[in-house]
Amino acid sequence: MLDKAAEDALAVKTAADAALAKAIKEAEEGEEDGEGEDCEPELDLTSKVTGLPDTLVAGTSTDFSLRVTNGSDRHMDEVLTFVSVHATDKSGLKDTEKFFRLQWSTKSAPKWQNADADDYIEGVGALKPGAHADVKLRLTLDKATPAGNGVAFFAADFFNEDGSCGGAPDLDMYEFDVKAAGSKPGKTEDVKPSTTPRPGNTGTTPQGSASGTPASTGSLAATGSSSATTSIALAGGAAVLLGAAAVFVVRRRKTGADA
């Protein structure tokens, strides 16, 4: 059983490594083709999550908020937020995010909208120096969602009409437990974030293992898993999401250049 679990975990990690390598290669090829300028790290563009509990129950919805703040001295013409959720069952080997539905709304777009496949939310608009905007988020779990573990990733990018762009150099990562339908949620507290490096708009590359998969950060040891399998699976998910973010930034820059 342990040998089989180890083999399955290695397969997940190998697939994640391959997905990340492919995504980064596509991003680099896009840059070589002249699709946009290199974006700059912007530490003063922050995103803070409140109201996301550390335990979610299948068959329920959870409302929480993301506040994006422009703490810099520059005007940002368009700000986008990156929000993505990855989850597995208790074994850490089976992806379960298909059971999750993420929706968002903002002051300028008050009607609930489903998050798209790019994991970027357009609705913040422009932000003046020192200004902030709130994004309301709703995460709904289908009743069939298996018990397990999950992570949510958040970041923000800006794009200006003059072609300049930038964003947070790291993804904030929030880990949570998933309980089966009918379970009592118990006492839940806001998840505390950790960070994981993010390639694409800052010229950085994932740090961690020699193969390029991000090292697992945060409190995975506290999720109740008795092995490293869950950590490997969630780290694999992080690799895929980081690769997707890298590709999207290149594509987004091309869209801006064509506008």
Side-chain angles (χ1 to χ4, degrees):
M1 289 291 292
L2 290 177
D3 289 343
K4 180 64 167 56
E7 290 177 1
D8 290 343
L10 180 59
V12 170
K13 179 180 179 298
T14 301
D17 286 346
L20 177 60
K22 179 180 178 181
I24 291 178
K25 181 179 179 180
E26 289 181 9
E28 291 174 344
E29 289 176 349
E31 291 177 347
E32 290 174 359
D33 291 338
E35 296 177 357
E37 299 177 359
D38 289 336
C39 293
E40 306 172 4
E42 181 50 81
L43 297 175
D44 292 324
L45 179 60
T46 60
S47 52
K48 181 179 180 181
V49 173
T50 57
L52 178 61
D54 61 8
T55 302
L56 302 178
V57 178
T60 66
S61 294
T62 300
D63 289 354
F64 57 105
S65 298
L66 176 68
R67 171 163 289 189
V68 182
T69 302
N70 177 10
S72 74
D73 58 359
R74 75 170 91 185
H75 179 86
M76 298 179 181
D77 295 327
E78 182 182 10
V79 174
L80 303 179
T81 56
F82 178 84
V83 182
S84 192
V85 177
H86 175 76
T88 68
D89 64 359
K90 285 185 176 180
S91 73
L93 301 175
K94 182 179 179 181
D95 290 339
T96 59
E97 58 260 34
K98 68 180 181 181
F99 297 102
F100 290 67
R101 182 175 65 157
L102 181 67
Q103 296 175 291
W104 63 271
S105 70
T106 62
K107 185 177 181 180
S108 61
K111 184 178 180 180
W112 285 106
Q113 302 184 47
N114 292 328
D116 60 27
D118 287 326
D119 297 317
Y120 267 80
I121 293 174
E122 299 184 23
V124 174
L127 280 182
K128 298 178 180 179
H132 68 264
D134 294 317
V135 180
K136 295 180 180 179
L137 296 166
R138 174 172 292 170
L139 188 57
T140 301
L141 278 64
D142 188 274
K143 288 184 178 180
T145 307
N149 308 279
V151 288
F153 297 90
F154 301 89
D157 290 338
F158 75 89
F159 301 88
N160 290 334
E161 293 179 359
D162 64 5
S164 61
C165 56
D170 295 321
L171 289 167
D172 285 335
M173 184 172 75
Y174 293 74
E175 302 163 47
F176 54 85
D177 293 329
V178 178
K179 291 187 176 181
S183 301
K184 293 183 178 180
K187 183 179 179 182
T188 59
E189 299 178 355
D190 281 2
V191 179
K192 303 301 181 184
S194 54
T195 60
T196 189
R198 168 194 184 196
N201 64 331
T202 62
T204 60
T205 54
Q207 302 297 315
S209 70
S211 61
T213 302
S216 175
T217 57
S219 56
L220 284 173
T223 61
S225 174
S226 59
S227 72
T229 304
T230 300
S231 298
I232 293 173
L234 292 181
V240 173
L241 289 170
L242 288 169
V247 171
F248 177 78
V249 168
V250 172
R251 291 175 179 169
R252 182 62 183 78
R253 291 207 302 258
K254 184 177 185 300
T255 300
D258 293 340

